[in-house]
Amino acid sequence: MNWILIIIAGVLEVCWATFLGYADSLFDWVLVAGLMVISFWLVTLTFRTLSVAVAYTVFVGIGTIGTYLFGILSGEPFSIKQLFFFMLLVIGVLGMKFTTKEGDK
Amino acid sequence: MAWILLMIAGTEEVISVSLLKYVHEYRKKWPVFIIVLGYALSFTCMAIAMKSITPGVAYAVWTGMGSVGITLVSYFWFKEKIYLPQVICLSLIVIGIAGLKLN
């Protein structure tokens, strides 16, 4: 359950981080702020059973994975070097999931 | 000067995330105010720092500082357990994010 919350929080982070670049009206800014608050709130929910270090790093990691993939999909160039670091990041996030027992903090 | 601002931005992030724990775990309301203010200050400092430091470098340093700082707070302040495999995964995530931003 905790991991689902972190994933949703990470996806919301990607949404507001991407949308931030396009926001240009009051409504847009309110939307960005709202998404920001919800994503952080979801992460704090997991602090009861996951350690802060694990929850927050995975959240930031998922955010970066999503933003990077979105950038590639919208036509940004990518290099082999980037792909290497991208793989390290994905292995780190997945590894964290499989080496962490819920409630064990 | 830009580097000092970047250090302040990183420290602010660690403080804000640490306080997030108080909001939920200890059901306190007052940290919310400091968290919002802290994040605003953190982003402002980073935006100014990015004018003289390459954004990729600035972001990588900020993420690294944040993650390492939060892990230290989690272990020493909140007394949360952290195991070697988690430390390895944390390092992979930080290296991955930093590498992506630098390339």
Side-chain angles (χ1 to χ4, degrees):
Chain A
M1 188 57 199
N2 278 320
W3 294 93
I4 297 171
L5 286 179
I6 295 187
I7 291 169
I8 298 172
V11 171
L12 286 179
E13 198 203 8
V14 177
C15 292
W16 69 253
T18 309
F19 194 54
L20 199 63
Y22 303 99
D24 61 354
S25 70
L26 183 64
F27 176 76
D28 292 350
W29 288 109
V30 171
L31 194 66
V32 168
L35 288 173
M36 246 174 166
V37 170
I38 296 169
S39 76
F40 277 99
W41 178 71
L42 289 176
V43 176
T44 62
L45 285 181
T46 68
F47 285 178
R48 283 190 199 135
T49 42
L50 287 176
S51 73
V52 176
V54 170
Y56 194 72
T57 316
V58 169
F59 166 63
V60 173
I62 291 174
T64 309
I65 290 172
T67 321
Y68 179 69
L69 286 181
F70 191 84
I72 298 299
L73 286 177
S74 56
E76 273 176 40
F78 72 98
S79 62
I80 297 296
K81 241 193 214 166
Q82 279 187 338
L83 215 56
F84 169 73
F85 286 108
F86 182 72
M87 290 311 290
L88 284 188
L89 175 53
V90 173
I91 293 169
V93 170
L94 290 178
M96 196 69 97
K97 160 84 182 83
F98 292 114
T99 57
T100 306
K101 290 192 214 95
E102 288 190 25
D104 187 16
K105 64 163 191 172
Chain B
M1 188 58 199
W3 284 99
I4 295 171
L5 282 174
L6 197 57
M7 297 294 137
I8 296 173
T11 312
E12 262 305 320
E13 197 207 2
V14 176
I15 293 172
S16 290
V17 176
S18 310
L19 287 175
L20 276 176
K21 190 174 166 73
Y22 279 88
V23 178
H24 263 282
E25 190 117 333
Y26 307 113
R27 300 197 168 273
K28 298 261 194 290
K29 295 265 188 315
W30 60 266
V32 175
F33 183 67
I34 305 174
I35 291 165
V36 173
L37 218 67
Y39 265 103
L41 186 69
S42 182
F43 282 120
T44 311
C45 287
M46 193 158 71
I48 301 171
M50 277 179 178
K51 284 187 179 145
S52 42
I53 303 172
T54 319
V57 177
Y59 188 87
V61 171
W62 184 72
T63 311
M65 263 193 85
S67 304
V68 173
I70 288 151
T71 305
L72 293 177
V73 170
S74 160
Y75 185 76
F76 289 107
W77 186 264
F78 295 133
K79 308 279 181 217
E80 293 176 331
K81 285 181 207 151
I82 186 148
Y83 304 99
L84 186 63
Q86 293 178 320
V87 174
I88 295 171
C89 293
L90 271 168
S91 314
L92 285 178
I93 295 173
V94 172
I95 295 169
I97 295 176
L100 266 184
K101 299 292 173 181
L102 292 175
N103 283 285

